[in-house]
Amino acid sequence: MATIAIVGAGLGGVLAAYEIKAEARASDTVVLISKGDTYHFVPSNPWVAVNWRAREAIEVDLPPVMKRKGIAFNNAGAKRVHPSENRVELNDGSSLNYDYLVIATGPDLAFDEIEGLGPERFTQSICHVDHAERAAAAFDAFCEAPGPIVVGAVQGASCYGPAYEFAMILDTELRRRKLRDQVPMTFVTAEPYVGHLGLDGVGDTKGLLESEMRERHIKWITNARIAKIEQSKMTVEELSEDGAVKATHDLPFKYSMLLPAFRGVPAIMGIEGLVNARGFVLVDKYQRNPTYPNVFGIGVAVAIAPTGKTPVPVGVPKTGFMIESMVTATAKNIGVLLQGKAPQEQATWNAVCLADFGDEGVAFIAQPQIPPRNVNWSAHGKWVHLAKEQFEKYFIGKLRRGQSETFYEALALKVLGIAKLKETKH
């Protein structure tokens, strides 16, 4: 008998619970540790922030699903992981001993690293559904007395797609409200160029996104470092290629959404051998921690080196399908470890993304996500918006049913040649 604990009930954690349960023996126990009972579909947060979605539409109540699947569920949340003791300390004072641990916590949002940043200060966020609801209320108030908008991602951020999405969605909604002509918009990003996305671009994302922003009259500042944010003004330093300050911009705003940098959550921060200096889990090609080989990391919690040197720090995003590939590799590897065999599966880290702009969008496929790539493709059109709406319904539906991957999804991925696992010689 073995106990497999999964810390974190976001996209990676919930899918990991389903897939590990399928790989485990009947006598093994799979436990999902979550802060609260509810899963939220994070890709829909930009829609929540303009009242195109209510939070109830993107929620999954986890306890009944996990009960049906035979997965133990604990909603206390993890206070501290003790890998040398094979133990997770919970927020209610209790502890859970494990044989295998999967860390799928997602990130801690580092708003405090920039003066004035975040929903508790002067800018909005769409990283969590609670933030998105606050952003929606602030946007409605903004529309009563419009003015300048600043959207973007700060230095050290590793998630850029939602910033582009939200800028375009705001543009679409403002046009629908007949207010766009009263709202100057500026996109501010740490990226060295528009469409870099933390991935050195995918296909022609640079050309597509620059063209889209010109079409929508959105100005931009790249290589941007936010110095400080005040009530209605932010100071942005634009850096040159050598890292020197090329220009300083004082940007007025009446509404702003800036994505923060990420770091590891307090439950794992500072554990030597488990995480790097930023608090992200160190993993090998099998998603396994080198120091604690019975600990696996998946999703945003995993440490990934930047794609290259940039004037302003730019992190690497962990996109949905990339996370799913980590989940499948982890589940398969834990399955063989339970049988006394060595892990052998490696995640492809392929990326399949739909970036919605409210009325159209950009799609891209990167195989693998980190360059150089075997496939490097991007496309633009109204079909992307429709596809993302359908994907939202499909994904939330399968989580509510307790499924990780349907037959038709597996078939479609096979036809498209998009794999979750690398082909290796076993």
Side-chain angles (χ1 to χ4, degrees):
M1 294 173 61
T3 297
I4 304 105
I6 303 155
V7 178
L11 181 146
V14 172
L15 292 180
Y18 296 161
E19 294 196 22
I20 291 170
K21 180 64 179 177
E23 296 291 334
R25 302 162 301 189
S27 59
D28 298 324
T29 300
V30 178
V31 185
L32 180 62
I33 300 169
S34 170
K35 281 187 178 178
D37 290 341
T38 309
Y39 165 86
H40 299 101
F41 187 62
V42 173
S44 292
N45 284 348
W47 292 342
V48 173
V50 289
N51 292 305
W52 292 359
R53 288 291 184 281
R55 70 181 292 156
E56 295 77 18
I58 64 167
E59 290 181 333
V60 177
D61 186 30
L62 293 174
V65 184
M66 295 302 157
K67 186 176 181 180
R68 281 201 317 272
K69 297 290 290 184
I71 298 166
F73 184 78
N74 188 306
N75 65 2
K79 182 178 181 180
R80 190 69 172 168
V81 171
H82 299 275
S84 59
E85 303 173 26
N86 295 327
R87 178 172 67 91
V88 180
E89 181 184 353
L90 304 177
N91 286 320
D92 63 3
S94 66
S95 285
L96 175 70
N97 295 317
Y98 61 80
D99 296 285
Y100 296 96
L101 175 68
V102 178
I103 299 175
T105 56
D108 185 44
L109 307 175
F111 294 118
D112 59 295
E113 292 183 344
I114 297 175
E115 181 183 345
L117 179 67
E120 300 301 326
R121 300 295 291 156
F122 306 121
T123 64
Q124 305 300 322
S125 163
I126 52 171
C127 294
H128 191 280
V129 69
D130 291 346
H131 298 165
E133 283 193 318
R134 291 173 67 167
F139 180 66
D140 283 340
F142 163 86
C143 288
E144 295 297 318
I149 282 179
V150 178
V151 175
V154 309
Q155 56 266 32
S158 57
C159 188
Y160 296 91
Y164 286 102
E165 284 190 300
F166 194 55
M168 309 301 184
I169 286 169
L170 285 175
D171 169 82
T172 299
E173 179 62 16
L174 287 166
R175 282 188 278 114
R176 290 175 182 175
R177 297 192 190 202
K178 303 292 190 282
L179 296 173
R180 185 64 183 90
D181 61 317
Q182 302 176 49
V183 182
M185 289 183 67
T186 305
F187 189 82
V188 174
T189 178
E191 300 160 274
Y193 58 84
V194 166
H196 180 280
L197 301 171
L199 300 170
D200 202 10
V202 182
D204 189 30
T205 48
K206 181 180 189 293
L208 288 173
L209 290 169
E210 281 189 355
S211 176
E212 193 70 31
M213 291 211 281
R214 287 192 190 97
E215 181 73 20
R216 294 171 185 259
H217 304 286
I218 300 172
K219 297 179 179 179
W220 65 79
I221 302 171
T222 55
N223 285 323
R225 182 173 65 195
I226 311 295
K228 67 174 180 177
I229 303 166
E230 300 170 80
Q231 178 78 51
S232 57
K233 183 185 77 170
M234 70 176 68
T235 303
V236 180
E237 296 172 339
E238 182 182 357
L239 271 56
S240 59
E241 290 301 311
D242 63 1
V245 177
K246 176 181 174 182
T248 300
H249 306 268
D250 287 325
L251 298 181
F253 67 90
K254 292 195 74 172
Y255 184 92
S256 177
M257 194 294 297
L258 296 176
L259 296 176
F262 293 164
R263 62 191 170 208
V265 299
I268 57 174
M269 179 66 80
I271 300 176
E272 188 175 351
L274 180 67
V275 299
N276 65 11
R278 193 73 186 165
F280 293 114
V281 181
L282 302 167
V283 296
D284 63 14
K285 61 185 179 181
Y286 304 117
Q287 302 299 136
R288 195 161 67 155
N289 178 255
T291 304
Y292 303 100
N294 63 334
V295 178
F296 292 75
I298 59 176
V300 181
V302 168
I304 300 179
T307 56
K309 184 175 175 57
T310 54
V312 181
V314 172
V316 175
K318 288 91 170 183
T319 55
F321 190 83
M322 180 189 193
I323 294 171
E324 290 187 54
S325 78
M326 294 183 191
V327 167
T328 298
T330 298
K332 296 287 186 185
N333 287 332
I334 289 176
V336 296
L337 283 166
L338 291 169
Q339 298 168 29
K341 301 176 184 177
Q344 54 195 15
E345 299 294 354
Q346 300 175 36
T348 58
W349 288 16
N350 289 337
V352 182
C353 291
L354 300 170
D356 173 60
F357 296 164
D359 47 7
E360 52 187 357
V362 169
F364 66 80
I365 296 174
Q367 298 186 17
Q369 179 169 294
I370 310 299
R373 304 185 179 104
N374 295 314
V375 177
N376 191 44
W377 174 87
S378 60
H380 169 265
K382 294 186 182 299
W383 65 271
V384 179
H385 172 71
L386 300 174
K388 185 144 189 177
E389 288 188 318
Q390 292 306 309
F391 180 75
E392 174 198 56
K393 293 182 176 67
Y394 164 76
F395 195 89
I396 294 172
K398 76 173 183 176
L399 286 197
R400 287 172 176 161
R401 293 190 299 272
Q403 291 178 289
S404 176
E405 182 179 84
T406 67
F407 168 78
Y408 295 104
E409 180 184 351
L411 181 62
L413 291 171
K414 185 174 182 180
V415 169
L416 292 170
I418 303 170
K420 292 181 180 176
L421 299 177
K422 288 183 179 180
E423 292 185 13
T424 55
K425 293 180 181 180
H426 296 333

